[in-house]
Amino acid sequence: MTVFLDLMRNEQFRCIVLVQLLTVFSTNLLTPVMPVYFKLQGLSEGQIGLAMGVVSLGALVVRPYAGKMVDQQGSRLTIFWGQGLTLAAMAAFLWATGFWPLLLVRLMQGVAMAFYGTGAVTFASGAESMDKVTAAVAFFSLFTMIGLGLGTSCSPWFYGLWGFASLVLVGLLTLGAGGILMYTASRPIPVAKSGKRVSFGVILSQPKVLVPSVCLFASNFSLGTAFVFVPLLALHQGSDNSGVFFAAFSVAVISARMGVQYMTTHFKQEWTAIYASLLNAASVLLLALIPTALTFGVAGILIGFGFGTIYPTLAGYLIQRVSPINKGSALSIFSGAGDVGNALGGAVLGVIAEWYGFRVVFLAAAAVVLVCTYIFFKALVRESS
């Protein structure tokens, strides 16, 4: 708690975490109900998976440009680009109907996410000294998860009361408040000048960047699978168990982010990430084998703790090992791996769901996570041991 209070005395850090909370809350108001809304629009499971996953494809395509923009023009300007695009994409939901218009809107959301997300995490890590960077990323991620938890928990309730259009309007107002706060309460963080700037390809080939990115890919693959197919599985069962999953996930992910600083202080970052990744695999495996109301809640807790731990742990590991002049590009690669995981979890497994059902979808997700966890173990953990 002392570390947190010390960080919150920093005006720059205080601003970015509040902006992050508002932004993530607004965008995640739509996420849990979107598969159901798309289903009511007449989309098939495969089309829903593609529409949910394409947002990550859009983010992946522009991540290199977002990272370059951060390194050369600063993280604050990149954040404003992302916020403006997010506002436009969210507003488009008020008019978009049918598969192709909705697909384009989701693609635009991905582009916006790349600019905003890369800028925001770089701004947060640059607001503090290097000895506090892991704590800064952890607590920045905590506010991310608070926003995500509040958004995903409130979403089904708001949707039931007001409908999809009103939900979009609430998101627009919250997102606008975040943009105003960023403009009025923050200052540009100077761009790093010292060190050697290297190409995107060279950064990508470095094990200290590539291997943590593989592990994040696995984490987001399992989370993307759960976020898309848990609501559809509950709908197929004729239950409202998805609410149990998202509520349990919200509590667990916030709790995990609060404890990340302790875990990474007392245990190696590599081993912390391994155990978190195994929790993600256990979650989707449980959904595959025993999809009941109780196990929906347990699965939400497992993936909440896994996902809540793994991102700040690996991000801190990465930031401490790359040159500040290339930090934006390195973080764009790292975040891009998460985008790929989200995209494949929804798009590819959506086709599998149509042919083989939800059990095979969750089994496939567990297999992917276990393979990537082994790769991470073999490349980093065993070597460090």
Side-chain angles (χ1 to χ4, degrees):
M1 185 58 70
T2 303
V3 176
F4 173 69
L5 293 176
D6 187 40
L7 288 169
M8 291 301 285
R9 293 188 186 99
N10 182 330
E11 184 181 1
Q12 291 278 77
F13 184 78
R14 186 168 64 247
C15 173
I16 190 60
V17 296
L18 293 176
V19 169
Q20 180 73 350
L21 188 152
L22 292 170
T23 303
V24 173
F25 172 82
S26 64
T27 54
N28 281 280
L29 271 176
L30 305 182
T31 303
V33 301
M34 204 172 287
V36 175
Y37 175 74
F38 288 169
K39 186 68 176 177
L40 295 175
Q41 291 283 313
L43 276 64
S44 68
E45 280 80 4
Q47 289 176 324
I48 292 171
L50 189 59
M52 294 299 291
V54 77
V55 66
S56 301
L57 177 62
L60 178 66
V61 170
V62 300
R63 283 287 183 187
Y65 304 101
K68 186 176 181 180
M69 186 175 185
V70 167
D71 288 336
Q72 296 182 355
Q73 301 184 45
S75 54
R76 188 170 182 262
L77 180 61
T78 311
I79 288 172
F80 288 140
W81 268 95
Q83 287 176 324
L85 289 171
T86 303
L87 275 169
M90 190 176 293
F93 275 114
L94 296 173
W95 295 278
T97 58
F99 173 63
W100 289 108
L102 289 170
L103 191 71
L104 291 175
V105 173
R106 291 289 289 165
L107 187 66
M108 185 177 177
Q109 279 190 305
V111 172
M113 183 175 70
F115 283 101
Y116 173 79
T118 304
V121 69
T122 308
F123 189 99
S125 65
E128 278 293 348
S129 57
M130 187 57 69
D131 61 317
K132 296 179 180 178
V133 70
T134 301
V137 172
F139 284 107
F140 169 79
S141 302
L142 171 63
F143 276 80
T144 303
M145 291 301 104
I146 293 174
L148 188 150
L150 290 174
T152 54
S153 298
C154 294
S155 176
W157 185 60
F158 286 168
Y159 178 69
L161 284 176
W162 302 329
F164 190 77
S166 297
L167 203 63
V168 171
L169 291 174
V170 172
L172 288 171
L173 290 173
T174 311
L175 188 61
I180 293 171
L181 179 62
M182 189 70 199
Y183 182 78
T184 57
S186 70
R187 305 180 308 277
I189 293 179
V191 177
K193 301 295 183 182
S194 60
K196 180 182 179 182
R197 194 181 302 278
V198 297
S199 69
F200 189 84
V202 171
I203 298 171
L204 177 61
S205 66
Q206 296 173 346
K208 61 188 176 185
V209 175
L210 182 59
V211 178
S213 298
V214 169
C215 197
L216 184 68
F217 161 83
S219 175
N220 282 37
F221 188 91
S222 60
L223 187 71
T225 300
F227 268 49
V228 172
F229 295 106
V230 162
L232 295 177
L233 175 59
L235 186 66
H236 177 74
Q237 293 178 333
S239 70
D240 57 355
N241 291 337
S242 63
V244 176
F245 172 85
F246 285 111
F249 170 82
S250 303
V251 173
V253 80
I254 291 171
S255 302
R257 290 288 160 95
M258 293 180 69
V260 164
Q261 180 65 21
Y262 174 85
M263 286 185 285
T264 54
T265 300
H266 290 80
F267 306 101
K268 284 187 174 183
Q269 291 168 313
E270 298 93 325
W271 278 108
T272 302
I274 280 285
Y275 293 134
S277 192
L278 292 175
L279 289 178
N280 291 331
S283 175
V284 288
L285 190 60
L286 188 61
L287 289 169
L289 300 177
I290 318 173
T292 66
L294 175 62
T295 54
F296 269 62
V298 175
I301 292 171
L302 291 174
I303 203 166
F305 275 110
F307 181 77
T309 301
I310 203 165
Y311 177 80
T313 301
L314 293 176
Y317 175 93
L318 185 67
I319 292 168
Q320 290 171 343
R321 288 163 175 79
V322 299
S323 171
I325 201 169
N326 299 310
K327 183 169 67 173
S329 295
L331 285 172
S332 73
I333 294 169
F334 179 69
S335 300
D339 297 337
V340 175
N342 279 326
L344 292 181
V348 175
L349 295 185
V351 178
I352 293 177
E354 285 195 59
W355 285 93
Y356 300 106
F358 296 112
R359 172 170 292 187
V360 176
V361 164
F362 291 116
L363 286 174
V368 169
V369 175
L370 290 173
V371 169
C372 292
T373 305
Y374 175 74
I375 293 171
F376 180 81
F377 168 78
K378 186 175 181 181
L380 286 187
V381 176
R382 192 173 67 178
E383 180 180 328
S384 67
S385 299

